[in-house]
Amino acid sequence: MFCMNCGFKNQPGDQFCAKCGAPLIAAVPQTWQCANCGQVNPIDANFCGSCGAPQPAPAAAQPGATAQPAGPKQNLLKAATHKLASYAGEDVDLDINLRNLFSQVTKKHTTAEAEQIFIAGTPETTPTIGELSADWGRPWLFSRIFAAFAIVFALLYIILAQLGNPNAVGGIIMVGAFAVPFSGLVLFFELNAYHNISIYSVMKIFFVGGALSLLVTLILYLVVPGASLTSYNLANALGIGFTEEIGKALIVAYFVRQLNPKTLLTGVLIGAAVGAGFAVFETMGYDYHFSGSVPSLLSVVFTRAWSAPGTHMVWAAIEGGGLLAAKRAKPFAWSQLVSGKFLPFFIISWALHAMWDWRETFGLGDTIKYIVLIVIAWIVVFTLIAAGLKELRRLQTEAQQAA
């Protein structure tokens, strides 16, 4: 079993990681045994296939506890995420505890633990389906990457703003553009439960895919009607969103064709890598335009940094997950980009992008509007991840039944 804290491969039956000492999180059981007749049933079966007895409640459930009915907002969110997951081909509701998900961020970790996370995705380091944990991961390395960027940025700021040395402008532009998208990409890398893509492949997609998607987008701007960067009314915002999301989706599809992934989580990671690269190169361009004035440069850097978690990286991650919902284990075909599985996720990314660029704030102000859009985007991403983990459990069940 692989440790969710440091990634070390432990021996079967171990309760604690031999590398870092963290408790090992067992994979979610894939079957349950009927207490009435002894029949072994798949975990997704609500009733015994032999005698019809119901599946027992989870051990963690409290006897006698009464479930509280969900309010209208919870019901609406549950229905929306359930529908999204159904487009991804999985019957699952979004049930996530963010405090638990990010519980390892505040814990102390060693350099060896950080390095262990990146040792993944090669033939020797990719775990088998039975060794994987279908529980939510506990990412933390992304926060250390972001902290390192923040420290470097602070040093460059001192050189530029306090010592008056303009040679730091290039560093300010680069570090400011990389900090959030790159850290976010590490988060997606940690959340890929399959550990089946190496950091080398992810970096190749990040740099090459980011530049390619930017190039394709600029070419599309020459031919797509209604896509204009001169104004940001609703029509132009729809044109801009369509053009840029098509550009990223085509490059995501290119790398899916090259790597031939078969699972939702892998598609989400590939999409995030393309989108993060696009975000970095686009931001560096914007920063450069305002580099003549230190206050203007810093304003643009900070604005694009805090808003980056809800833009190109997550929009492309949604498209990557949607494409794998259409592809699954089948050979890649370009027709999958117009399938009923992919299009709902593309439309979501397009709509989020258009709403971001549209100057209408509905009385909320720009900041609140952007925060709302960031939250919506991450709800979609987390729904795809939940569907991906459900897919993993299903694949583990199928592997057990075939063994």
Side-chain angles (χ1 to χ4, degrees):
M1 178 183 294
F2 283 79
C3 176
M4 296 301 296
N5 182 47
C6 69
F8 183 76
K9 183 177 181 180
N10 294 274
Q11 297 299 317
D14 286 354
Q15 299 298 313
F16 295 89
C17 178
K19 181 75 174 179
C20 68
L24 295 177
I25 302 172
V28 174
Q30 305 307 311
T31 59
W32 60 276
Q33 186 173 18
C34 178
N36 184 47
C37 69
Q39 167 82 7
V40 176
N41 299 280
I43 192 66
D44 292 336
N46 294 322
F47 298 90
C48 177
S50 177
C51 69
Q55 179 180 174
Q62 296 297 322
T66 302
Q68 297 296 321
K73 292 182 179 179
Q74 288 82 358
N75 284 330
L76 179 61
L77 177 62
K78 181 177 179 180
T81 56
H82 187 86
K83 185 65 174 179
L84 277 174
S86 71
Y87 286 127
E90 301 296 337
D91 184 16
V92 65
D93 296 318
L94 178 60
D95 183 16
I96 180 173
N97 185 325
L98 293 179
R99 177 178 293 182
N100 190 38
L101 177 66
F102 296 113
S103 60
Q104 289 296 317
V105 169
T106 57
K107 303 292 180 61
K108 185 176 181 180
H109 298 279
T110 66
T111 301
E113 291 174 311
E115 292 170 344
Q116 190 70 35
I117 291 175
F118 286 135
I119 304 175
T122 69
E124 294 77 19
T125 59
T126 299
T128 64
I129 191 76
E131 295 174 318
L132 298 173
S133 171
D135 191 13
W136 284 83
R138 304 291 186 272
W140 60 270
L141 182 57
F142 75 97
S143 65
R144 306 308 195 267
I145 301 292
F146 178 78
F149 275 118
I151 292 171
V152 173
F153 186 89
L155 296 175
L156 291 169
Y157 174 81
I158 293 172
I159 295 173
L160 175 64
Q162 304 302 317
L163 301 182
N165 191 326
N167 291 332
V169 168
I172 289 283
I173 291 174
M174 185 189 76
V175 176
F178 268 82
V180 175
F182 192 88
S183 303
L185 180 55
V186 174
L187 170 63
F188 279 102
F189 185 84
E190 293 183 87
L191 287 173
N192 177 29
Y194 292 92
H195 307 292
N196 57 346
I197 299 186
S198 69
I199 192 64
Y200 166 75
S201 295
V202 170
M203 290 299 97
K204 181 169 65 174
I205 299 170
F206 172 73
F207 284 105
V208 179
L212 275 176
S213 59
L214 192 61
L215 174 62
V216 170
T217 295
L218 292 175
I219 294 173
L220 289 174
Y221 267 120
L222 301 176
V223 298
V224 175
S228 172
L229 296 172
T230 56
S231 64
Y232 294 92
N233 56 35
L234 178 58
N236 279 344
L238 287 169
I240 293 168
F242 180 80
T243 303
E244 297 191 4
E245 296 313 311
I246 280 288
K248 293 197 293 287
L250 289 173
I251 303 306
V252 171
Y254 167 77
F255 282 104
V256 166
R257 182 174 182 270
Q258 294 295 311
L259 298 176
N260 191 33
K262 299 177 175 63
T263 58
L264 292 173
L265 293 178
T266 314
V268 169
L269 176 57
I270 292 173
V274 172
F278 185 102
V280 165
F281 294 131
E282 182 186 62
T283 294
M284 291 179 74
Y286 279 108
D287 292 347
Y288 173 76
H289 282 299
F290 290 90
S291 60
S293 165
V294 172
S296 297
L297 170 61
L298 294 176
S299 174
V300 173
V301 166
F302 284 119
T303 298
R304 293 191 65 87
W306 79 257
S307 61
T311 59
H312 297 291
M313 178 178 62
V314 289
W315 298 335
I318 293 169
E319 292 160 7
L323 182 55
L324 263 295
K327 178 188 177 296
R328 299 287 185 167
K330 300 189 295 290
F332 172 81
W334 289 103
S335 60
Q336 290 161 358
L337 288 172
V338 293
S339 71
K341 293 288 187 182
F342 171 75
L343 285 178
F345 293 100
F346 175 79
I347 291 171
I348 289 172
S349 295
W350 176 17
L352 288 170
H353 193 152
M355 290 297 294
W356 191 280
D357 286 342
W358 189 19
R359 287 297 177 257
E360 176 62 53
T361 65
F362 307 98
L364 300 174
D366 287 333
T367 300
I368 300 300
K369 171 190 164 182
Y370 293 149
I371 291 174
V372 170
L373 292 174
I374 290 171
V375 170
I376 293 173
W378 276 98
I379 288 174
V380 178
V381 168
F382 283 139
T383 301
L384 275 168
I385 294 175
L389 294 173
K390 177 68 176 292
E391 177 189 42
L392 172 54
R393 290 192 287 271
R394 177 171 53 79
L395 292 174
Q396 288 177 328
T397 300
E398 293 172 357
Q400 287 180 350
Q401 292 174 345

